[in-house]
Amino acid sequence: MTTNKELCVNKRNKLLSKEELEGMSKEELIDKVIQLQAHNLQLKNIIQKRDPDGKISEESPSKKKRKFDFSKAYKRHILLKFLYLGWDYQGYASQEDSVSTIEYHLFRALEKTCLIEKRENANYHRCGRTDKGVSAFSQTISIDVRSKFPPEDQMLPESLENELNYCVMLNQSLPDDIRCISWHPLEDDTFSARFNCQERSYRYFFPRGKLSIPAMREGCVHLQGSHDFRNLCKMDVANGVVSFTRTIESAVIKEIAQDGSDDPHSMMFLEIKSNAFLWHQIRCIMSVLLLIGLEKEKPEVILELLNVQKNPRKPQYSLASDVPLNLYETSFEDKDSWVLNQQTLERVIRDLETQWMFSSIKTTMMLEMAKDLKRMLLEKFPEASEVGCSGEELIQGAKMKNYKRLMERSKGESLEDRIEHYVKKRRLNVNQQCYWTTVSSTTNLS
């Protein structure tokens, strides 16, 4: 089979031919049009000399800030930990046609504060690459930043205590929903936030609704261990990913307020831990768990999906929503050397509490409206059935009028078929002389 051969990824020329466009699916063409529209808007803003906030730049060349001389500055290698609320962003990673990404604002702040000269020489690695709408409490990057002290003195306690306050400096230049929490000094400048991360933990939040939590917990048990997750992710074959075996260290359903309440509005979350995840893996897993919780599927359906010898082709089903997903913890070997600042933590807590207050007011207002409408419904129509969130609303896409079980649905292409597809499109080369390493994807997890 083709999967036993080594592969090369061919970088696509940005200019597509007429034949290539005719060969694209409707979904691919729609994505392309959206991308071009966003790019066109960005170019218009550039032409009109507008900054990303839409304000016309009136700064004259004579008033520009004097360029910082990095040749006279010391550098140190650090881990930087920060949080963000991702539902108003187009994802973590920078994009050519959008400034609405976490990475864009992060590097804008790093350069504005003169902590780095430019991204290209900053020795930068990110721990995870969350997709559109996904949040993080513990995103971590490794990077070279400006330091007050020479390399030989940087690990001294007095140097760490009196170092530049990286979090305060960055938080003054970042949006309110992106906040630096702490930093960690590193002696080894090859230490990578991506490759040296020992474990990544995600949480997916959801209301209890009408879900059978015991059934969902039984399904979680089947996820743990090493499995081929090709039927529980989006196969990123176009970028050379052909190995889909990952190890789930733990997958558990927990409740926020452990008071034993069966209130359908009480909040739960799936906590899932692994060293590495696949593209959309958690949202696929959560979609199936929600179907199990709705008792439309048995917990054993996860065993069926993990049996790729029996079921090599993924049944068609929709992803769970991206909004509830959160990169909650990233673990490294030395957990005790993070530099924390009391004032920074107090300010971040105040910022989060303020945002929570306004969001909570909105949700409480909506819930009270819904309760009053339910009372009106039952008073006027006593025979009416109970109405409320079931949990199914978190599954994207159109709802089936007559539900068809997962393993009875039409199936997508097998891994071998997808590889052959991209080989024919010249996106992949099958070449025994080509050096290629399977990517352990920790990215685009929405």
Side-chain angles (χ1 to χ4, degrees):
M1 294 191 299
T2 311
T3 51
N4 294 327
K5 299 179 181 180
E6 293 183 329
L7 302 176
C8 283
V9 180
N10 291 338
K11 290 188 177 180
R12 178 184 289 280
N13 191 321
K14 292 183 181 179
L15 297 176
L16 300 176
S17 66
K18 180 179 178 181
E19 291 74 18
E20 287 176 313
L21 288 171
E22 290 176 343
M24 294 172 71
S25 66
K26 180 180 178 181
E27 183 180 358
E28 289 174 325
L29 288 170
I30 292 173
D31 289 342
K32 192 67 180 174
V33 170
I34 293 172
Q35 182 183 28
L36 290 172
Q37 286 177 330
H39 192 206
N40 188 39
L41 178 61
Q42 184 186 33
L43 290 174
K44 284 182 178 179
N45 286 338
I46 292 172
I47 292 170
Q48 296 172 5
K49 295 183 179 179
R50 293 178 180 270
D51 64 19
D53 299 320
K55 299 176 182 178
I56 299 176
S57 176
E58 298 177 350
E59 186 178 37
S60 65
S62 60
K63 294 183 179 180
K64 285 186 178 179
K65 187 177 178 181
R66 188 171 65 180
K67 192 172 182 180
F68 186 85
D69 188 357
F70 282 91
S71 66
K72 298 178 181 179
Y74 299 118
K75 288 184 179 181
R76 71 150 74 228
H77 194 51
I78 68 167
L79 288 177
L80 184 67
K81 183 177 291 187
F82 55 99
L83 63 83
Y84 51 84
L85 305 175
W87 39 74
D88 289 330
Y89 292 92
Q90 295 297 312
Y92 177 83
S94 296
Q95 300 174 23
E96 291 183 2
D97 53 6
S98 175
V99 296
S100 184
T101 66
I102 305 299
E103 208 168 52
Y104 170 83
H105 288 284
L106 177 63
F107 275 95
R108 190 182 181 209
L110 285 164
E111 293 176 7
K112 184 177 180 180
T113 54
C114 296
L115 289 178
I116 67 168
E117 183 177 11
K118 54 185 178 180
R119 174 173 176 166
E120 289 74 17
N121 61 6
N123 191 17
Y124 166 71
H125 284 141
R126 57 196 173 213
C127 185
R129 179 183 168 181
T130 54
D131 211 341
K132 178 182 177 182
V134 180
S135 300
F137 173 65
S138 188
Q139 177 65 278
T140 310
I141 64 170
S142 53
I143 193 168
D144 290 346
V145 291
R146 177 165 57 93
S147 172
K148 291 168 63 176
F149 304 99
E152 62 270 18
D153 296 335
Q154 288 177 357
M155 300 305 292
L156 297 175
E158 56 268 27
S159 298
L160 295 175
E161 185 177 348
N162 296 291
E163 183 57 279
L164 294 170
N165 197 328
Y166 299 122
C167 292
V168 168
M169 293 171 68
L170 289 169
N171 286 343
Q172 291 174 345
S173 299
L174 286 167
D176 292 340
D177 47 11
I178 306 174
R179 281 290 174 262
C180 291
I181 306 170
S182 60
W183 65 278
H184 187 300
L186 296 170
E187 294 186 77
D188 182 4
D189 61 5
T190 65
F191 192 97
S192 166
R194 178 184 178 189
F195 298 110
N196 290 99
C197 182
Q198 295 182 324
E199 186 178 78
R200 296 165 175 85
S201 174
Y202 280 80
R203 290 185 179 183
Y204 191 100
F205 295 85
F206 61 96
R208 179 185 290 272
K210 299 177 181 179
L211 300 169
S212 171
I213 303 301
M216 295 177 73
R217 285 174 171 153
E218 186 179 343
C220 285
V221 174
H222 301 317
L223 292 166
Q224 298 180 58
S226 295
H227 306 285
D228 188 318
F229 284 93
R230 70 181 66 177
N231 290 329
L232 286 165
C233 74
K234 185 171 181 179
M235 291 193 293
D236 196 16
V237 177
N239 287 319
V241 183
V242 294
S243 175
F244 298 92
T245 299
R246 298 292 183 271
T247 301
I248 300 297
E249 301 296 337
S250 67
V252 292
I253 302 283
K254 299 180 180 180
E255 52 187 329
I256 302 292
Q258 299 181 358
D259 55 3
S261 171
D262 289 332
D263 181 358
H265 299 105
S266 62
M267 296 301 294
M268 317 285 294
F269 62 89
L270 165 70
E271 184 176 71
I272 187 166
K273 298 180 180 181
S274 176
N275 173 257
F277 291 93
L278 295 156
W279 190 17
H280 291 338
Q281 183 179 357
I282 298 175
R283 290 173 65 193
C284 285
I285 286 173
M286 195 63 210
S287 180
V288 175
L289 287 176
L290 287 169
L291 293 174
I292 292 171
L294 291 164
E295 299 183 331
K296 295 184 175 183
E297 299 287 344
K298 300 290 185 183
E300 292 75 20
V301 73
I302 289 186
L303 293 176
E304 290 289 315
L305 292 168
L306 293 175
N307 188 345
V308 296
Q309 285 74 36
K310 180 181 176 183
N311 301 296
R313 299 164 64 205
K314 176 185 174 183
Q316 295 182 358
Y317 60 90
S318 299
L319 291 172
S321 171
D322 49 18
V323 172
L325 185 56
N326 191 308
L327 172 57
Y328 211 78
E329 187 175 0
T330 51
S331 300
F332 298 86
E333 185 175 354
D334 186 357
K335 299 180 180 179
D336 301 323
S337 298
W338 290 92
V339 178
L340 296 168
N341 178 274
Q342 180 181 347
Q343 292 180 336
T344 298
L345 290 177
E346 289 174 346
R347 177 61 188 270
V348 172
I349 291 170
R350 282 198 299 270
D351 290 343
L352 281 174
E353 289 275 7
T354 300
Q355 294 187 68
W356 167 84
M357 178 181 69
F358 285 104
S359 295
S360 185
I361 289 170
K362 292 176 183 177
T363 57
T364 302
M365 189 185 298
M366 289 184 282
L367 184 57
E368 290 303 305
M369 289 178 179
K371 287 179 179 178
D372 286 343
L373 287 173
K374 286 180 185 179
R375 284 192 288 268
M376 292 169 57
L377 176 67
L378 294 175
E379 287 173 3
K380 185 68 176 178
F381 307 98
E383 73 284 359
S385 58
E386 184 179 351
V387 181
C389 291
S390 65
E392 187 175 11
E393 296 81 5
L394 288 171
I395 302 175
Q396 296 180 333
K399 304 297 182 287
M400 292 184 176
K401 188 174 182 180
N402 297 310
Y403 185 79
K404 180 180 285 189
R405 290 189 177 274
L406 280 177
M407 305 315 297
E408 297 173 1
R409 299 184 189 181
S410 58
K411 308 292 195 300
E413 294 179 307
S414 68
L415 174 59
E416 292 75 23
D417 290 339
R418 289 188 66 79
I419 291 174
E420 293 300 327
H421 169 76
Y422 285 109
V423 168
K424 289 178 180 177
K425 292 183 72 173
R426 297 183 180 179
R427 292 290 302 275
L428 292 175
N429 284 340
V430 180
N431 185 351
Q432 299 294 346
Q433 303 300 320
C434 170
Y435 176 79
W436 177 83
T437 304
T438 301
V439 179
S440 296
S441 175
T442 60
T443 63
N444 292 359
L445 299 173
S446 67

